[in-house]
Amino acid sequence: MHFRPARNWMNDPNGLVFHDGRYHLYYQYNPNGADHGFMSWGHATSADLVDWDEHPVAIRHTDEHEIFSGSAVFDEHDSSGLGTEGTPPLVAVFTLADQRGRHQAQGIASSTDGGFTWTPYAGNPVLDRGSSDFRDPKVFRYSGPAGDYWVMVAVEAQERRVVLYRSDDLKAWTYLSDYGPRGATGGVWECPDLFPLAVDGDQDDVRWVLLISLNPGGIAGGSGTQYVVGRFDGVHFVPDEPGPPAALRDGWDCSRAQLEACDWLDYGRDCYAGVTFSGLASEDRVLIAWMSNWDYAGQLPVDAEHPQRGAMTLARRLSLSRRGGRVRLIQEAIGPATTPLDPDPRGSTWPREVAAGATLALDLAPQARLRVRLHPAGGAGAGLAAELRFRDARGVSAVLRFADGALSLDRRPGAAGLPSAFGSVQRVQLAEPGLFEAEIWVDGADSGRGSVEVFADGGAVALTDLVGTRITCVELVAVGDAMLVEEWSAEIPRTVLAGAEGHHA
């Protein structure tokens, strides 16, 4: 359900592209071990964004350079001249990182076999600002009033600036503009993305979304990703709202109030460097992110026989919607096809009133989707407080709490034996204090740990956390007054169910 390589270290998704009916996921990868280093591009493909096949290393580090994050595009008209007769190339654009000289510039490579083997361009680097922190190029094809050309969105990381360039051939680049510092600036900026989406599907109201990851300085602590909605004319990105100002250069850290004034892709600890796939229709915008946090990623325990660190989030379909007078980014998880887990043995139907202190429990398969919808039993004006207690064989591992509009996930109970930064509580305010409705994906397929991805407020709020143990059961508890449970169900991926049935046959 969540992609992770069989061995070794992985972090940021790179080069996301849909081509010839397959989704290609490249990623930061250490072919030599389970620690960060020797950065290369690993490679996996999928037909459905759920089941992934791992392939050999796509672009390997050299003695001179590590291959840092970047993107990939299909050069349909061979504007780069890197294709062969009748075969336009895929072109990867990435950061050439000279760690000894602390120098970063952008290079390209081409593939004419569908993205499985790559040839570095002899003229690399194609864009060099003489900078030690110029990285993470995201390239897309722009077509609008300003013309038709390639656009690169990258960062000057330490300066907290997004820099934009244009090119006709992916090899010669001309400066367009920059953006920032603005909003959250408590860490270096990384892994930008810029893409259009129609508001509520209205093609006459198209906005552009700018994603900016930063480390540290995220809303939940450590690394995180903010987003900004605005307009792009092919040269400048202009936000719709003034937004919070950047902190002063002599102290980049932001206050909690400044962070809460920003919009965030995810309010959990473990969703970073998310970017979207090229090669899809503009209305079919799909994102995937690294499911970890730089606060502790390199310290998580590994299996000595099969050392491995890092996984990706579920893929997410993005859209824009007007909520409370503002345009918000909406996320819909792309998970496996599911079937209901065992129904309630008492045959009860929903809605059902649950008394204060009462518990509804569901045993879970290693992977499951939960659906929950709660109201106060006392009607309008009554309070609502509930907990979802995620348990393993030894006890409670994490607690998701909802109380009068505030949502939090506390994973301290299951953090024993993990890095000190792992035990934490993440919080976010939801739109309606008298309603809690969410879709929650739970994955315990990793024998050592699990993960929880929460999508609430109709997808306007996402919260993704690793948890310290495998989750085998979840309890829904009315911790305040009585509550009305309109939905409380678990579904299991059909592939997991088929495997279990085959095992018992």
Side-chain angles (χ1 to χ4, degrees):
M1 191 162 80
H2 291 94
F3 173 74
R4 54 171 53 84
R7 300 177 69 90
N8 300 337
W9 170 278
M10 73 171 297
N11 57 286
D12 306 355
N14 298 154
L16 304 185
V17 60
F18 180 73
H19 183 67
D20 284 346
R22 301 285 293 181
Y23 295 91
H24 291 258
L25 164 63
Y26 303 92
Y27 49 89
Q28 290 288 277
Y29 181 66
N30 179 0
N32 301 327
D35 297 312
H36 183 268
F38 304 100
M39 285 293 93
S40 306
W41 276 24
H43 185 205
T45 61
S46 174
D48 59 6
L49 294 165
V50 174
D51 296 311
W52 293 93
D53 297 319
E54 185 177 356
H55 303 289
V57 175
I59 307 176
R60 189 176 291 270
H61 68 91
T62 68
D63 292 340
E64 293 78 25
H65 297 105
E66 292 184 83
I67 308 300
F68 276 15
S69 290
S71 52
V73 293
F74 177 48
D75 186 9
E76 181 178 5
H77 301 293
D78 197 13
S79 64
S80 63
L82 298 175
T84 59
E85 186 175 354
T87 307
L90 287 168
V91 177
V93 188
F94 46 80
T95 299
L96 294 165
D98 179 351
Q99 294 300 81
R100 290 171 294 183
R102 284 294 299 160
H103 180 260
Q104 296 180 357
Q106 312 319 314
I108 63 175
S110 58
S111 173
T112 54
D113 67 353
F116 292 93
T117 59
W118 293 84
T119 301
Y121 176 53
N124 280 337
V126 296
L127 182 55
D128 188 348
R129 291 169 56 97
S131 170
S132 60
D133 292 284
F134 171 43
R135 60 178 176 264
D136 306 340
K138 180 63 188 292
V139 171
F140 62 91
R141 189 73 181 177
Y142 172 81
S143 183
D148 187 8
Y149 44 85
W150 300 104
V151 171
M152 177 193 295
V153 187
V155 293
E156 281 288 356
Q158 291 287 351
E159 297 175 6
R160 280 70 162 174
R161 281 195 301 131
V162 174
V163 291
L164 291 86
Y165 285 79
R166 63 166 288 174
S167 175
D168 294 322
D169 61 5
L170 294 165
K171 294 183 289 191
W173 294 89
T174 303
Y175 172 79
L176 287 173
S177 64
D178 57 53
Y179 171 88
R182 180 187 181 276
T185 55
V188 297
W189 282 12
E190 297 185 313
C191 302
D193 199 354
L194 180 63
F195 50 86
L197 284 171
V199 179
D200 292 314
D202 182 359
Q203 295 300 321
D204 292 327
D205 187 7
V206 173
R207 310 295 172 88
W208 287 74
V209 179
L210 176 63
L211 301 180
I212 305 167
S213 291
L214 71 157
N215 174 50
I219 185 69
S223 43
T225 303
Q226 59 184 319
Y227 74 87
V228 185
V229 177
R231 301 173 192 270
F232 179 60
D233 63 2
V235 177
H236 300 93
F237 173 79
V238 179
D240 281 353
E241 300 175 354
L248 298 177
R249 182 172 290 276
D250 60 357
W252 288 109
D253 290 346
C254 295
S255 67
R256 181 69 189 185
Q258 284 177 304
L259 294 179
E260 290 179 349
C262 298
D263 288 315
W264 295 89
L265 180 71
D266 197 290
Y267 288 83
R269 290 277 270 162
D270 296 303
C271 179
Y272 187 64
V275 288
T276 63
F277 282 84
S278 68
L280 297 169
S282 60
E283 64 272 13
D284 190 12
R285 184 62 56 176
V286 175
L287 173 141
I288 199 166
W290 178 44
M291 193 165 61
S292 196
N293 191 301
W294 282 116
D295 269 3
Y296 44 74
Q299 305 168 43
L300 293 174
V302 297
D303 184 322
E305 294 185 3
H306 301 282
Q308 193 277 322
R309 286 190 177 104
M312 294 298 172
T313 65
L314 288 177
R316 304 171 181 196
R317 183 163 286 108
L318 306 181
S319 59
L320 287 178
S321 183
R322 198 176 300 279
R323 302 286 179 88
R326 301 184 64 239
V327 177
R328 301 285 303 278
L329 189 66
I330 306 300
Q331 301 178 65
E332 176 189 359
I334 301 174
T338 58
T339 192
L341 208 55
D342 293 339
D344 188 301
R346 293 168 294 179
S348 300
T349 58
W350 311 108
R352 183 199 305 179
E353 185 171 322
V354 176
T359 299
L360 299 176
L362 289 171
D363 292 327
L364 298 181
Q367 298 171 333
R369 173 169 61 181
L370 305 174
R371 298 181 188 273
V372 59
R373 181 179 172 88
L374 312 174
H375 284 286
L384 176 63
E387 290 184 353
L388 274 68
R389 298 173 183 170
F390 298 97
R391 306 181 67 94
D392 62 10
R394 295 170 294 179
V396 175
S397 178
V399 179
L400 186 69
R401 296 187 177 94
F402 178 83
D404 296 327
L407 181 67
S408 66
L409 199 153
D410 182 353
R411 60 181 183 181
R412 293 173 297 181
L418 295 172
S420 58
F422 190 89
S424 57
V425 184
Q426 289 62 254
R427 298 178 176 86
V428 59
Q429 193 71 27
L430 301 187
E432 297 187 49
L435 169 67
F436 177 51
E437 182 174 17
E439 176 182 279
I440 304 165
W441 288 87
V442 178
D443 188 356
D446 181 347
S447 60
R449 288 177 294 277
S451 63
V452 175
E453 290 176 82
V454 182
F455 298 88
D457 269 4
V461 169
L463 194 160
T464 300
D465 269 2
L466 298 174
V467 293
T469 62
R470 293 183 65 180
I471 296 167
T472 58
C473 171
V474 60
E475 298 171 338
L476 173 60
V477 184
V479 295
D481 298 329
M483 62 185 181
L484 187 66
V485 181
E486 291 192 349
E487 184 173 15
W488 173 235
S489 63
E491 300 169 1
I492 183 174
R494 293 173 187 169
T495 52
V496 173
L497 181 63
E501 290 174 345
H503 177 74
H504 291 298

